[in-house]
Amino acid sequence: IGTDHIIFPDGSTETHAGGDAYYAAAGARIWSSDVGIAAVIPKNYPQELIDKLSRAGIDVSGIIRTNLKMGLEGTIEYKDDGSRVLGAAKGILKFLQDHLPGVLALVANPYWEKVSAQPELIPESYMQAEAVFLASMAYSNQAKALRLFDGKAAHIVLDPPPLMPWVKRGTPPKELADLSRVSAVLPSEQEAYEYFGDGIAPDSAAEKFFSMGAQCVVYKMGGHGARVYGKGNQAVHVPVYRTKAVDPTGAGDSFGGGFLVGLAETGDPVKAACYGAASASFIIEGYGADYALGVTRDQAEDRLKKLLEMLQLPNG
């Protein structure tokens, strides 16, 4: 969980709750009234942002306030052409980013581990979860969290973390969690490029993930939708739900939250991806994850129906 400071082309700014877990929970809550978050926040994190989750019906007992002075704070600067630039918002990370990028690479890993979910702090009640979404986080934290839920949750979905500066581009991180122990892996196109080389085709990237133990790969392609791969099966393209995109931030994570509920309810990764696409369509219609917290399941069901009708299955 973090805080996003959004800078618009005209210079105006807004601050919203952010972070992979926040967006994933918002995407899941659209479909389920039984969603919880496990995360850590710094001591000065605004309580009102956590209260918004609680009022939306999300269990926040797994959000632990620590003594950290800083958390995941970043800027999202939008340009006139629609592109965006991500960066550290303030403090030592901002200074290192601007002046000493080499030093930033050295301090990033221990800092990343501190602000990622701490498996030992996850409430015992969460061990009863039917399905778990392991958001992008420090490699070691994600691997520990997977071992914690392995054999307990019926479905575990993993979002591969980005490649850190100390890992050679085109090389998957050695500390990555055991992909053979999860129900589905949800890489983005960016992560595929980082792990296996720029420009790698979706089919080739999926095969790479299969060689690492994955059982199901859902390849996220932003505005071009997603491709669902099962071992030995032809890929199925899941389209996006077309709507006015105000802010694409968190679309991939909200897709993951919706996918998780869809997989738990149907057992079908293709249908689950349609749940995810519907969740993402609501997230991008406003700024920040809070925008989707008021969406009802009835609204989502309407979009899900249309997405299912748009599917082009391999057998025709």
Side-chain angles (χ1 to χ4, degrees):
I1 291 181
T3 308
D4 294 333
H5 303 278
I6 301 174
I7 305 171
F8 300 102
D10 63 1
S12 61
T13 63
E14 289 188 21
T15 298
H16 295 280
D20 298 18
Y22 203 109
Y23 279 103
R29 189 222 60 86
I30 290 172
W31 302 99
S32 173
S33 60
D34 196 14
V35 175
I37 296 183
V40 295
I41 54 176
K43 59 183 179 181
N44 62 345
Y45 192 87
Q47 183 59 39
E48 60 266 25
L49 299 182
I50 303 301
D51 292 341
K52 287 182 180 180
L53 290 173
S54 185
R55 287 195 297 271
I58 295 174
D59 183 345
V60 298
S61 63
I63 300 177
I64 308 300
R65 191 177 294 276
T66 69
N67 289 323
L68 291 173
K69 294 181 179 180
M70 292 177 56
L72 287 172
E73 291 194 46
T75 58
I76 304 173
E77 183 176 1
Y78 287 95
K79 303 297 185 180
D80 288 322
D81 62 2
S83 63
R84 58 180 180 160
V85 179
L86 307 182
K90 58 184 179 180
I92 185 63
L93 293 184
K94 173 65 172 174
F95 177 84
L96 294 176
Q97 172 186 281
D98 294 344
H99 304 287
L100 298 168
V103 177
L104 176 61
L106 294 176
V107 303
N109 190 43
Y111 175 76
W112 195 24
E113 291 178 347
K114 289 180 180 179
V115 298
S116 293
Q118 309 294 311
E120 65 273 13
L121 298 180
I122 296 176
E124 183 63 30
S125 60
Y126 281 29
M127 295 299 102
Q128 308 302 316
E130 178 184 359
V132 176
F133 177 73
L134 297 178
S136 173
M137 65 181 96
Y139 306 131
S140 60
N141 298 54
Q142 192 178 61
K144 290 176 184 176
L146 173 56
R147 290 194 292 270
L148 184 67
F149 286 103
D150 188 19
K152 299 181 179 69
H155 305 280
I156 300 177
V157 175
L158 184 143
D159 186 6
L163 208 65
M164 287 293 103
W166 59 87
V167 182
K168 182 180 178 181
R169 193 173 180 87
T171 306
K174 294 180 180 178
E175 305 93 337
L176 193 65
D178 183 356
L179 300 186
S180 70
R181 309 303 300 174
V182 302
S183 307
V185 182
L186 272 59
S188 67
E189 188 173 59
Q190 177 180 334
E191 287 143 9
Y193 286 1
E194 291 175 350
Y195 283 25
F196 309 123
D198 292 332
I200 187 170
D203 291 1
S204 298
E207 285 301 321
K208 292 282 190 181
F209 280 109
F210 283 134
S211 71
M212 295 168 63
Q215 306 299 310
C216 172
V217 178
V218 182
Y219 188 88
K220 298 176 294 184
M221 302 181 293
H224 297 291
R227 290 176 67 82
V228 181
Y229 295 86
K231 277 189 175 180
N233 296 324
Q234 187 174 341
V236 177
H237 179 259
V238 174
V240 298
Y241 183 91
R242 295 295 175 186
T243 186
K244 183 179 180 180
V246 173
D247 179 7
T249 307
D253 296 307
S254 62
F255 177 99
F259 179 90
L260 184 73
V261 180
L263 190 63
E265 290 190 355
T266 71
D268 183 335
V270 174
K271 290 181 180 178
C274 290
Y275 278 65
S279 289
S281 73
F282 288 108
I283 286 288
I284 66 174
E285 289 179 339
Y287 295 108
D290 299 341
Y291 177 81
L293 293 180
V295 175
T296 66
R297 173 146 185 161
D298 285 343
Q299 292 174 292
E301 288 281 3
D302 181 62
R303 296 191 180 187
L304 174 63
K305 180 180 178 181
K306 293 176 181 177
L307 284 164
L308 289 171
E309 291 172 350
M310 294 164 61
L311 282 182
Q312 294 181 353
L313 300 178
N315 61 5

